[in-house]
Amino acid sequence: MVDADIKEKLDTVEEYLINMGPQHPSTHGVLRLVVNLRGEIVKDLKPYCGYIHRGIEKMCERNTYPQIIHLTDRLDYLSAHINNEAVCLLVEGALDVEVPERAKYIRTIMAELTRLASHQLWWSVMGMDLGALTTFFYGLRDREHILDIFEENCGTRLLVSYNCPGGVMYDIKPDFQKKVKEFITYFKTKLPEYEKLLSGNVIFQQRTKGTGLLTKEEVIAYGVTGPSGRGSGFACDVRKKNPYSAYDKVQFNEIIRTEGDSLARYKVRMDEMRESMSIIEQLIDNIPEGDFATKMKPIIKLPIGEYYQRVEACRGEFGVYVESRGEKNPYRIKFRSPNFANLSALDYMSRNEKIADLVAIMSSLDLVIPDIDR
Amino acid sequence: MWLYDFAELTSKIHAGLAGSLGEGLLTTTIEMSLVGIVFLTFYAVLGLFLVYMERKVCAFFQCRLGPNRVGIFGLLQTIADFIKLLMKELITVKSADQFLFNVAPFIVIIASMLAMGALPFAKGLQAMDFDIGILYVMATSSLGVLGILLAGWSSNNKYSLIGAMRSGAQIVSYELSVGLSLMTIVVLAGTMQFSEIIAGQESAWFIFRGHVPAFIAFIVFIVASTAETNRGPFDLAEAESELTAGFHTEYSGIKFALFFLSEFMNMFLVCAIAATVFFGGWMPLHVPGLAGFNHVMDFIPPVVWFFGKTFTLIFLMMWFKWTFPRLRIDQLLTLEWKFLLPISLVNILIMALCVLNHWYF
Amino acid sequence: MNAIAEYFSDLFGGIKSLLQGMSVTGKYFIRSPKEIVTQQYPDNRDTLKMFDRFKGEVMMLHNDKNEHRCTGCGICEMNCPNGSIEVISKWEIIDEKKKKALDKHIYHLGMCTFCGLCVKTCPSKALDFGQAFEHAKYNRTEFNKILNKPGSVLTKDVKE
């Protein structure tokens, strides 16, 4: 079913509609795009989301605060730790609970490892979408090391619910620091290979340079945050603006580029991987001793009011808004998902681009569809 | 000296048949059907082997094992795949143009089989030895584009049509570069007949004899023929991540198997032509002046040389495919018209100059 | 003149970058037997050991005397977000006092999201995660497991 307005704007002699349907190898998830093409040029684009809507916000209304956490990691599953951290920070901030230093350090290290893993997956998929199929395997092979670290410490590889209000659920294992340091040494030898294989390749550069332009005003107007926004010059890193957990104790650069095309977004993410590694290196040897969680009451009730907490997820600013009426369940919870805002800019970015570039643009935006549909 | 001349074997068979059945239509028919059966078997076995090779080579590039369950080292995997494809339902698309839809895969196969008939596998082991061999091979391999265009058009499907149009533009453009680079060697060799070309490489292969222009011609030929066969970084006609499966979206079962097979056989064909024209075909590696070395090289049978060179070039093409991202259609056409074509034109002039002044080995 | 120089520098720069990319994949091909990272799963079951925190399934710990630690308090059932645990308790007469004891601890493996709240909030540490992960069955009713084996309660526990 295509909306009537897209059909009436169609010039049936010169243009035709193509449906990049819910099942498609290059829309990463179930997203339907109805694209209005004239020859090879995209004239108009309309995304239809909602194919994976599970009613997470409604489900959270009947759950208590510790029970919401396992649902948040099913939103943007590649930044599961960070989503969990958002809800925990909201509860701790509302109740004015002091989290021990050790827990803050552990949370930050896990968040940066998640960011690394997510960017590795993004790199693999970007190469695969553009046709270089070996990048998929190289990126995933290296990501397995991080997932092994997660499995050993948190229990599961991807959908960890490791954070809980007050700290983390278990203490880290004794060889956590050693394994993380080994991984960083290993990955530092692999990043130059990634650059040689994809970034330096003349074919890749020609396919991504100058396509999918997004100016800074448009970025601010659409609310595009994260690496996609920083690729157009918008300094929006929540870790710098409102530091949380242990981010105020580390030195790192906020990567900003001004060109605004797909290649700029690509380079921002590659440099962010390096910054993540430097953050982890600064923290990994200095984890303070102490408790890994403060004791919270068994039933957590937030005082009456509205609360908002924002964190820097791998794809942008992830926000949690809670309206509480004094009970143990939130009255209304809303997740500000970064991918929803990033998707809304896709139409603007892909006007007058060729359909082959549309695939490159979508990969450079790094969309995760379950986050859009919640 | 292993340079056994297969012409003796074929003339003995011919003499035997003519002696018992007389020189007439019956003898010719029997000989032709023998050649046909040999070729069909060769085609099928080679297709199976090439698919297996592709999967294993691709797996080793990607740090994983390839097929290793069906048979030792997965050797029977392709047979299992083809049995599966044979058993699939042939979905008839009601709104497609039935005759063209069914004919398209066969045109592609026939084109590549015809071209394969002119390849020299060893001295005298050649089905047809025209005196315009190179021209014949180029002409018949160009018939394949008809099959692709028909497949895309008759599927009555937007995606297939886009894929077929792109592919048609691509193949037609790159034929120019292929032709010009082959002409460069024809200028050096002085003949278009395959057996003469190979005989001319007895002292050294053309890529060494024709130094710089031959090397440039080789590079141009490899790039252009990768594009001709819709392979490697030029495979946007069947780009899975963009347009589902391009021009063969609507085909299922044995018809899809024919498209798939013809792609691999075309790859073999162009690598075999490159091996013949640039690297000497079945002629062993001879270095002028080192008679002992040449004698040692002659002990390796010519068929082994031919297949060795061809498979090395096939490996090179697979390496291209699994390393590079895909080119967009306009970049592809830019590459041809602005880079490859001027370079090959200038190259042919340089080669002509070299030949006239005897500046070659 | 500039355009011609740019043409050739583009051409050779492009070729050089392509060759660099090929060197990366070529390196992996040549070193390929060592670089293969595939775990040949069904064949390596003997040597496969999962980490001890791995969340394979929830199970109730029993010691050698077939005793468990569950008092039937139902805190895990209250904390489970989606109702994957049902605790059915019964009244038992011990030392002439009526006490609540566990009859059946039903665990729906098919609904569990492995959030870990039941393990974390159990006051007597009766539940833990097991490392078995091969749960595929032909019949959906086999996913409704009863976690307590026919046994009895250990006396050293926290509440009641």
Side-chain angles (χ1 to χ4, degrees):
Chain A
M1 303 84 38
V2 180
D3 273 352
D5 59 343
I6 204 173
K7 265 198 166 143
E8 68 188 29
K9 278 194 287 181
L10 193 63
D11 171 2
T12 41
V13 174
E14 296 276 338
E15 303 175 354
Y16 59 103
L17 280 180
I18 266 213
N19 187 34
M20 289 173 74
Q23 290 110 351
H24 191 102
S26 76
T27 63
H28 315 139
V30 275
L31 177 68
R32 176 179 175 213
L33 293 177
V34 176
V35 184
N36 183 353
L37 288 173
R38 174 188 285 248
E40 285 257 341
I41 316 262
V42 174
K43 285 285 167 219
D44 201 0
L45 190 148
K46 200 160 186 184
Y48 286 78
C49 44
Y51 286 91
I52 193 167
H53 174 71
R54 294 152 291 177
I56 289 189
E57 292 178 359
K58 184 70 183 173
M59 277 201 280
C60 290
E61 285 176 16
R62 62 136 202 248
N63 283 347
T64 62
Y65 292 96
Q67 292 171 340
I68 292 179
I69 292 174
H70 83 105
L71 288 173
T72 53
D73 47 37
R74 283 149 173 87
L75 289 171
D76 178 358
Y77 44 78
L78 292 172
S79 43
H81 266 293
I82 305 177
N83 294 354
N84 295 348
E85 204 177 339
V87 174
C88 295
L89 286 171
L90 185 140
V91 170
E92 289 150 12
L95 295 175
D96 251 332
V97 166
E98 186 61 38
V99 176
E101 284 295 308
R102 186 178 173 88
K104 284 191 186 168
Y105 272 62
I106 294 177
R107 276 183 179 174
T108 312
I109 296 177
M110 290 293 188
E112 291 305 313
L113 282 174
T114 313
R115 199 181 308 272
L116 261 178
S118 166
H119 283 332
Q120 275 174 330
L121 185 71
W122 158 81
W123 184 81
S124 310
V125 173
M126 179 133 193
M128 185 177 79
D129 277 346
L130 290 176
L133 300 159
T134 33
T135 58
F136 188 68
F137 290 92
Y138 292 165
L140 286 188
R141 172 200 64 190
D142 300 330
R143 185 169 171 256
E144 285 296 312
H145 296 259
I146 298 185
L147 295 183
D148 277 343
I149 294 178
F150 282 169
E151 190 178 342
E152 198 180 359
N153 283 288
C154 318
T156 53
R157 286 154 50 104
L158 196 64
L159 303 174
V160 292
S161 10
Y162 185 53
N163 291 325
C164 59
V168 291
M169 262 204 206
Y170 323 105
D171 203 356
I172 50 175
K173 289 272 183 171
D175 57 352
F176 175 71
Q177 285 162 311
K178 183 170 76 91
K179 286 205 168 162
V180 172
K181 281 200 277 211
E182 266 173 25
F183 167 71
I184 293 197
T185 331
Y186 163 79
F187 193 53
K188 278 198 169 146
T189 61
K190 295 292 176 192
L191 257 186
E193 275 185 17
Y194 288 6
E195 300 276 345
K196 266 201 279 185
L197 187 57
L198 205 56
S199 330
N201 199 321
V202 63
I203 302 176
F204 176 77
Q205 285 183 342
Q206 284 201 329
R207 276 200 73 172
T208 49
K209 206 185 260 193
T211 61
L213 284 168
L214 203 57
T215 56
K216 189 170 168 185
E217 292 77 30
E218 296 291 335
V219 159
I220 299 179
Y222 279 107
V224 175
T225 50
S228 317
R230 292 199 275 281
S232 304
F234 178 35
C236 56
D237 198 339
V238 179
R239 298 174 289 173
K240 287 278 192 197
K241 299 267 150 81
N242 302 38
Y244 53 93
S245 292
Y247 284 113
D248 42 3
K249 300 189 178 59
V250 288
Q251 299 274 23
F252 64 100
N253 303 329
E254 186 179 354
I255 316 280
I256 300 186
R257 287 185 184 263
T258 47
E259 301 100 32
D261 57 3
S262 298
L263 191 60
R265 293 189 280 271
Y266 175 91
K267 287 192 173 158
V268 165
R269 287 195 177 94
M270 297 302 273
D271 288 335
E272 272 196 7
M273 283 205 258
R274 295 190 176 93
E275 289 300 319
S276 288
M277 286 205 286
S278 116
I279 292 178
I280 296 178
E281 275 175 340
Q282 289 173 39
L283 290 177
I284 191 72
D285 283 321
N286 309 332
I287 303 182
E289 302 294 327
D291 278 337
F292 56 86
T294 42
K295 236 167 153 26
M296 306 273 286
K297 292 205 267 273
I299 310 264
I300 297 178
K301 287 190 183 171
L302 255 55
I304 297 182
E306 301 176 348
Y307 305 94
Y308 185 74
Q309 172 69 39
R310 57 160 78 122
V311 291
E312 176 76 12
C314 307
R315 285 161 185 78
E317 178 186 313
F318 179 76
V320 184
Y321 166 81
V322 164
E323 180 183 337
S324 167
R325 292 206 175 161
E327 299 166 9
K328 59 181 169 66
N329 313 346
Y331 178 71
R332 169 81 168 107
I333 189 168
K334 160 115 176 88
F335 297 108
R336 187 253 179 217
S337 71
N339 290 294
F340 190 73
N342 292 0
L343 177 68
S344 59
L346 184 64
D347 184 18
Y348 175 81
M349 283 202 287
S350 54
R351 291 274 163 86
N352 296 326
E353 301 281 357
K354 302 191 180 52
I355 192 165
D357 288 333
L358 178 64
V359 174
I361 294 170
M362 270 209 309
S363 313
S364 77
L365 266 188
D366 196 10
L367 297 171
V368 170
I369 313 297
D371 198 22
I372 300 177
D373 295 342
R374 271 162 273 144
Chain B
M1 283 287 279
W2 276 78
L3 286 183
Y4 170 68
D5 196 347
F6 277 88
E8 299 171 25
L9 180 65
T10 46
S11 55
K12 260 194 259 181
I13 296 179
H14 179 75
L17 275 175
S20 47
L21 298 171
E23 293 264 358
L25 195 55
L26 191 56
T27 324
T28 329
T29 319
I30 294 184
E31 282 173 358
M32 280 168 62
S33 18
L34 269 179
V35 170
I37 292 173
V38 166
F39 259 101
L40 280 173
T41 326
F42 172 66
Y43 205 74
V45 169
L46 196 63
L48 290 178
F49 182 70
L50 273 177
V51 174
Y52 172 76
M53 178 181 167
E54 159 107 44
R55 287 176 74 162
K56 275 298 210 189
V57 163
C58 149
F60 287 141
F61 275 127
Q62 293 167 352
C63 300
R64 58 186 177 93
L65 300 162
N68 67 341
R69 289 216 163 264
V70 189
I72 311 180
F73 297 126
L75 282 167
L76 301 178
Q77 176 73 45
T78 336
I79 299 183
D81 280 342
F82 274 100
I83 295 178
K84 175 200 81 161
L85 277 172
L86 284 174
M87 294 199 302
K88 278 201 187 250
E89 178 191 351
L90 291 178
I91 302 177
T92 47
V93 181
K94 276 228 172 77
S95 54
D97 186 336
Q98 294 299 328
F99 175 65
L100 292 177
F101 188 75
N102 290 324
V103 145
F106 294 104
I107 295 185
V108 179
I109 289 270
I110 288 174
S112 70
M113 269 211 190
L114 277 178
M116 194 97 74
L119 287 178
F121 293 99
K123 192 172 168 86
L125 193 63
Q126 194 174 358
M128 295 176 280
D129 196 11
F130 292 126
D131 53 348
I132 44 161
I134 288 191
L135 186 60
Y136 166 77
V137 162
M138 278 184 54
T140 45
S141 60
S142 321
L143 289 176
V145 74
L146 269 181
I148 294 177
L149 285 173
L150 281 179
W153 174 260
S154 62
S155 299
N156 201 14
N157 180 352
K158 276 180 275 214
Y159 289 126
S160 311
L161 191 60
I162 299 180
M165 289 297 141
R166 283 175 172 177
S167 180
Q170 174 186 334
I171 292 185
V172 162
S173 325
Y174 276 92
E175 271 175 12
L176 288 170
S177 293
V178 167
L180 281 176
S181 55
L182 285 178
M183 282 304 119
T184 316
I185 293 297
V186 166
V187 165
L188 180 61
T191 166
M192 281 208 216
Q193 192 172 6
F194 273 118
S195 45
E196 298 289 322
I197 288 182
I198 296 184
Q201 299 187 59
E202 190 160 350
S203 54
W205 294 341
F206 276 149
I207 199 167
F208 301 124
R209 288 183 61 188
H211 50 92
V212 171
F215 183 69
I216 298 180
F218 171 64
I219 305 279
V220 168
F221 183 80
I222 283 287
V223 172
S225 48
T226 321
E228 274 281 296
T229 52
N230 275 334
R231 250 198 88 83
F234 306 100
D235 60 351
L236 46 70
E238 36 190 61
E240 291 154 0
S241 46
E242 292 174 32
L243 285 180
T244 40
F247 61 87
H248 51 72
T249 315
E250 300 284 350
Y251 286 92
S252 54
I254 188 66
K255 296 185 216 160
F256 173 72
L258 286 177
F259 273 120
F260 194 55
L261 191 63
S262 77
E263 184 186 313
F264 283 102
M265 298 315 287
N266 274 335
M267 184 172 67
F268 177 81
L269 178 72
V270 297
C271 288
I273 294 178
T276 311
V277 157
F278 291 100
F279 288 104
W282 49 258
M283 186 66 70
L285 174 65
H286 289 151
V287 179
L290 294 179
F293 177 75
N294 294 348
H295 255 109
V296 168
M297 288 289 124
D298 283 344
F299 274 109
I300 307 177
V303 186
V304 171
W305 277 108
F306 177 75
F307 279 109
K309 291 173 203 170
T310 312
F311 279 117
T312 314
L313 289 175
I314 290 181
F315 173 72
L316 187 68
M317 282 176 76
M318 288 183 183
W319 197 354
F320 285 163
K321 170 167 182 160
W322 296 109
T323 314
F324 301 134
R326 222 170 265 139
L327 270 80
R328 218 171 49 202
I329 182 70
D330 63 323
Q331 290 164 348
L332 205 142
L333 295 175
T334 315
L335 177 68
E336 157 66 14
W337 294 98
K338 291 195 192 168
F339 286 92
L340 287 184
L341 192 62
I343 291 179
S344 16
L345 283 172
V346 169
N347 197 32
I348 233 185
L349 286 177
I350 299 180
M351 180 62 106
L353 220 68
C354 287
V355 168
L356 283 176
N357 291 332
H358 291 279
W359 288 339
Y360 57 89
F361 298 117
Chain C
M1 209 53 224
N2 224 357
I4 297 188
E6 214 183 290
Y7 179 89
F8 278 108
S9 75
D10 272 350
L11 181 68
F12 286 118
I15 294 182
K16 183 166 122 150
S17 71
L18 293 179
L19 288 175
Q20 270 184 339
M22 278 173 71
S23 74
V24 172
T25 39
K27 191 174 62 148
Y28 280 111
F29 183 85
I30 293 177
R31 302 197 312 215
S32 57
K34 267 195 314 176
E35 298 275 349
I36 292 183
V37 294
T38 323
Q39 282 185 9
Q40 307 221 41
Y41 163 55
D43 302 330
N44 68 348
R45 274 202 190 112
D46 306 329
T47 51
L48 187 63
K49 224 176 86 61
M50 308 305 284
F51 296 113
D52 60 340
R53 275 189 194 164
F54 178 69
K55 296 180 184 173
E57 57 174 349
V58 174
M59 47 182 219
M60 191 179 287
L61 301 168
H62 288 81
N63 64 5
D64 331 321
K65 298 200 276 272
N66 203 12
E67 293 171 333
H68 59 75
R69 297 169 62 94
C70 177
T71 54
C73 59
I75 287 183
C76 56
E77 185 177 358
M78 279 196 311
N79 270 299
C80 178
N82 58 354
S84 314
I85 293 186
E86 285 174 41
V87 172
I88 303 181
S89 51
K90 58 184 186 214
W91 292 106
E92 266 187 0
I93 313 260
I94 298 182
D95 303 332
E96 302 191 1
K97 263 197 289 188
K98 224 177 172 189
K99 284 170 107 173
K100 197 157 126 174
L102 178 71
D103 183 15
K104 281 203 275 240
H105 189 286
I106 300 180
Y107 168 62
H108 298 285
L109 177 61
M111 293 213 295
C112 177
T113 52
F114 301 98
C115 61
L117 285 173
C118 54
V119 172
K120 177 171 168 249
T121 53
C122 176
S124 44
K125 303 272 179 283
L127 294 172
D128 198 4
F129 279 114
Q131 274 80 49
F133 58 91
E134 299 176 359
H135 295 309
K137 301 269 188 290
Y138 283 99
N139 196 342
R140 194 138 56 112
T141 51
E142 293 182 53
F143 283 140
N144 303 332
K145 300 186 171 187
I146 297 187
L147 287 186
N148 58 324
K149 302 190 205 161
S152 68
V153 177
L154 205 67
T155 43
K156 304 196 288 289
D157 60 352
V158 180
K159 273 165 65 167
E160 282 154 4

